[in-house]
Amino acid sequence: EDQVTQSPEALRLQEGESSSLNCSYTVSGLRGLFWYRQDPGKGPEFLFTLYSAGEEKEKERLKATLTKKESFLHITAPKPEDSATYLCAVSGNTPLVFGKGTRLSVIA
Amino acid sequence: KAGVTQTPRYLIKTRGQQVTLSCSPISGHRSVSWYQQTPGQGLQFLFEYFSETQRNKGNFPGRFSGRQFSNSRSEMNVSTLELGDSALYLCASSLKGGGGSYNEQFFGPGTRLTVL
């Protein structure tokens, strides 16, 4: 059974304090790993897709990396507007399986 | 390009009633997936439709059903509502889908269903 575990559950950072979110997964035949951002009361917003170990993608202050067992979402010099829940999902031979997310709070 | 739209945005029902939610995918997208999101369970897959055919189904009772029309618009129906059905119901569309060949899914804003 495909599984995704995200850690930490919640993270509180000062503005400018860089950190990383972790997504550990087990999947039969990874077809893609996806990162989403979700603001309260809204649908998830697509951020990145990673397909193979070693791949990296960047967007503004965010950088996603992938190994054979986990993915990291690195946040460099975060701003208060980066506060949100970040979701990781994997696609194997079954539909997308989501982790429960990391709630990020960035304090000015 | 317009995003995924869902109607209604909010819904209040009582136990035993039924409800129909609607989703219009991004133009050109043929795959529509439905998810239930609750604080305790997170995002859970309900079903996926591709070219009017249900391609995958999650672990939900038969009270949850859906369909897709020829224009790719989709509806999901929940019959005999229970208190535990209170959740945010999200629809996502993608260009392709089915059979495990997934690419990026783009989500709508969701329908917040409250069952009293």
Side-chain angles (χ1 to χ4, degrees):
Chain A
E1 184 181 326
D2 298 348
Q3 285 190 322
V4 176
T5 303
Q6 291 188 248
S7 61
E9 286 186 19
L11 181 62
R12 189 180 169 98
L13 299 173
Q14 292 293 322
E15 184 172 4
E17 181 187 359
S18 301
S19 188
S20 296
L21 312 183
N22 177 264
C23 170
S24 297
Y25 64 90
T26 54
V27 64
S28 302
L30 180 70
R31 294 179 184 271
L33 184 141
F34 307 88
W35 282 99
Y36 288 86
R37 167 195 169 124
Q38 187 173 26
D39 293 299
K42 296 188 176 181
E45 174 191 346
F46 171 76
L47 292 174
F48 303 110
T49 308
L50 301 167
Y51 290 106
S52 56
E55 191 174 356
E56 298 182 353
K57 294 260 178 89
E58 283 190 68
K59 179 181 178 179
E60 296 180 2
R61 295 177 292 283
L62 300 176
K63 178 180 175 180
T65 61
L66 181 65
T67 71
K68 287 187 177 179
K69 293 184 179 180
E70 56 192 351
S71 176
F72 292 94
L73 185 65
H74 307 278
I75 303 178
T76 302
K79 298 182 178 182
E81 53 262 41
D82 294 323
S83 297
T85 295
Y86 291 85
L87 298 166
C88 170
V90 294
S91 167
N93 292 320
T94 57
L96 281 188
V97 175
F98 279 83
K100 295 197 173 178
T102 293
R103 245 182 1 266
L104 175 66
S105 300
V106 182
I107 312 302
Chain B
K1 210 177 208 183
V4 178
T5 58
Q6 292 187 245
T7 57
R9 292 294 314 278
Y10 301 92
L11 210 47
I12 299 176
K13 292 285 187 179
T14 56
R15 278 183 300 174
Q17 286 187 308
Q18 70 144 20
V19 67
T20 300
L21 312 181
S22 180
C23 170
S24 292
I26 292 170
S27 178
H29 284 195
R30 296 170 64 189
S31 172
V32 173
S33 297
W34 289 90
Y35 296 86
Q36 181 194 67
Q37 187 175 34
T38 58
Q41 298 298 319
L43 264 159
Q44 292 188 289
F45 172 77
L46 280 158
F47 26 66
E48 184 216 358
Y49 287 87
F50 181 74
S51 293
E52 301 179 68
T53 302
Q54 187 181 88
R55 299 299 290 263
N56 287 291
K57 189 176 192 307
N59 255 351
F60 279 82
R63 301 185 296 108
F64 292 81
S65 63
R67 59 178 175 167
Q68 186 180 33
F69 302 96
S70 58
N71 61 359
S72 294
R73 192 177 69 85
S74 178
E75 289 182 347
M76 69 162 280
N77 184 276
V78 189
S79 62
T80 320
L81 284 166
E82 300 177 0
L83 294 178
D85 296 333
S86 294
L88 182 66
Y89 289 88
L90 291 160
C91 163
S93 76
S94 62
L95 272 173
K96 297 184 283 188
S101 54
Y102 292 91
N103 52 6
E104 293 87 355
Q105 292 191 355
F106 296 90
F107 284 82
T111 294
R112 171 72 62 186
L113 172 65
T114 302
V115 182
L116 302 175

